[in-house]
Amino acid sequence: MTVGQQRAWEHSWPRLGRKVAELPSGPLDIAGWFGRSAPVLLEIGSGMGETTAQLAAAEPEVNYLAVEVYEAGLGQLMLRAEKLALDNLRLLHGDAVLLLSHHIERDTLSGVRIFFPDPWPKKRHHKRRLVQPEFIALVASRLAPGGMLHLATDWADYAEQMLTVCSAEPLLRNRFPDWAPRPGWRPVTKFEQRANEEGRVSRDLIFERLSSR
Ligand SMILES: C[S@@+](CC[C@H](N)C(=O)[O-])C[C@H]1O[C@@H](n2cnc3c(N)ncnc32)[C@H](O)[C@@H]1O
């Protein structure tokens, strides 16, 4: 971690963050933590927080949660949050699967975002990819009816995997015939910039949570 990221952990973590492994058992009191009831958006794997900070700033009406396992990334995101004086962003350090399984109630999230998850490009590593049927079923169950799951990736075969997995989940409906048009509000990150330079096309996918089980 850089000195700045370390300082952000010391200074901002007590106010902005919680460790998933240390959460009390049962559902997280999100409204209590934010000090208000508002639609809750969960971003999974916020990385260095480039997108997260900008989107939280652009959506002040939303309670924005980011979950990430990478400490330096969370430190960087806290630096960005301090700079932008964000008060609608909270950070969770740990595994999204544990968070969703044990601390997020069913039918509650207004949106889930998974932008550029680790691609695990080698075939023998594909099983490590986050977007798998069981994980997407878990995500779908935590979305409120009408809530949106938004994914993006610059790896063609991962985009195909996302499309297949999400299309097969009975609780989700693709809002588009296949790929969603790239939303202008999603910031171009260094990852996407590099993909563009290397000739890889980034794909967005937007699925809506259906109400019936
Ligand atoms: C390739 S990075 C993308 C970061 C960011 N979304 C972006 O677009 O720049 C993927 C991130 O997902 C995080 N991640 C992977 N599995 C996770 C999990 N189970 N729970 C939380 N974060 C996870 C990694 O630590 C990594 O920072």
Side-chain angles (χ1 to χ4, degrees):
M1 264 195 271
T2 64
V3 173
Q5 289 161 1
Q6 186 67 48
R7 191 196 54 73
W9 267 89
E10 283 155 22
H11 179 257
S12 296
W13 183 255
R15 186 173 62 87
L16 293 181
R18 304 221 177 138
K19 291 185 189 271
V20 174
E22 292 172 8
L23 291 173
S25 65
L28 177 62
D29 176 11
I30 298 173
W33 192 12
F34 281 86
R36 65 172 187 174
S37 290
V40 179
L41 255 167
L42 173 67
E43 186 179 333
I44 297 174
S46 46
M48 298 304 277
E50 232 178 323
T51 294
T52 316
Q54 287 185 56
L55 292 183
E59 297 161 295
E61 71 286 0
V62 155
N63 286 348
Y64 206 113
L65 282 175
V67 60
E68 174 54 71
V69 291
Y70 176 43
E71 288 188 15
L74 288 170
Q76 195 62 37
L77 176 52
M78 283 187 274
L79 289 176
R80 297 181 203 275
E82 286 170 15
K83 213 171 184 172
L84 294 170
L86 299 180
D87 58 11
N88 66 325
L89 175 68
R90 299 290 184 275
L91 280 48
L92 288 148
H93 180 213
D95 181 4
V97 176
L98 293 181
L99 175 72
L100 288 163
S101 307
H102 301 301
H103 304 292
I104 302 288
E105 286 183 280
R106 289 178 165 271
D107 305 338
T108 55
L109 300 175
S110 69
V112 172
R113 292 171 174 166
I114 311 175
F115 295 151
F116 302 94
D118 299 305
W120 297 107
K122 290 183 182 152
K123 197 156 180 127
R124 69 175 187 279
H125 291 153
H126 282 189
K127 56 182 177 295
R128 298 186 192 174
R129 286 177 168 175
L130 195 57
V131 179
Q132 310 276 354
E134 205 180 316
F135 176 71
I136 290 301
L138 174 63
V139 169
S141 72
R142 269 50 185 175
L143 280 167
M148 296 294 167
L149 169 61
H150 186 170
L151 306 116
T153 182
D154 55 310
W155 288 85
D157 68 332
Y158 203 1
E160 293 288 350
Q161 178 173 334
M162 289 174 176
L163 186 61
T164 304
V165 168
C166 295
S167 301
E169 168 49 51
L171 280 180
L172 296 176
R173 178 177 71 93
N174 197 343
R175 295 289 308 271
F176 297 91
D178 43 40
W179 318 118
R182 189 195 186 290
W185 51 260
R186 189 169 60 66
V188 179
T189 60
K190 280 185 215 145
F191 279 107
E192 192 169 359
Q193 186 63 42
R194 195 182 327 138
N196 287 341
E197 286 161 13
E198 292 173 5
R200 288 196 306 279
V201 178
S202 290
R203 298 289 194 196
D204 284 76
L205 299 96
I206 301 179
F207 284 74
E208 182 180 353
R209 162 68 205 269
L210 300 171
S211 51
S212 56
R213 284 179 188 276

